[in-house]
Amino acid sequence: MNGTFNNMNTFPNFTNTNTNVNQVNCPQNVVVNRPIVTREVNVVNRYCIIEQPHIHEVETQYVNHFITRHQYIKRPICNETNVYSEENDCGCN
């Protein structure tokens, strides 16, 4: 929309009620510049969730220990011995 307007009545929605153009406080020539473009940056943080399973194996070992305890028990054993002896009282020998 670069251009020069020589008549104030050429603007849309503008009506000049004054018939004497020299008494208007606006300049006679209006220059329309290019629009000023501004930019705004919106940062959107997106989070992607990745599930990573970790397997932690716990092994339980049972170790059976067998302990042999010797017990000494006294057990009396009776032994009988017969001793024979001869006596010669008769004097025969």
Side-chain angles (χ1 to χ4, degrees):
M1 288 190 70
N2 286 339
T4 303
F5 297 98
N6 292 327
N7 190 353
M8 293 297 288
N9 290 327
T10 59
F11 285 109
N13 298 326
F14 179 79
T15 56
N16 189 359
T17 58
N18 191 355
T19 56
N20 189 357
V21 178
N22 292 330
Q23 294 179 353
V24 178
N25 292 332
C26 295
Q28 293 296 318
N29 295 328
V30 177
V31 177
V32 178
N33 292 328
R34 290 188 214 158
I36 298 173
V37 177
T38 59
R39 179 174 288 182
E40 179 179 311
V41 176
N42 292 325
V43 177
V44 177
N45 292 310
R46 298 187 324 173
Y47 295 95
C48 299
I49 298 174
I50 300 172
E51 290 187 1
Q52 175 65 51
H54 290 269
I55 299 173
H56 180 79
E57 292 181 346
V58 176
E59 180 180 351
T60 302
Q61 291 184 351
Y62 291 101
V63 178
N64 296 320
H65 296 274
F66 296 98
I67 300 172
T68 303
R69 289 186 177 168
H70 295 284
Q71 294 180 351
Y72 294 102
I73 301 172
K74 290 183 176 182
R75 186 169 65 176
I77 298 175
C78 294
N79 187 0
E80 185 176 327
T81 305
N82 295 319
V83 177
Y84 295 98
S85 60
E86 277 186 37
E87 290 184 4
N88 249 339
D89 285 339
C90 65
C92 318
N93 238 0

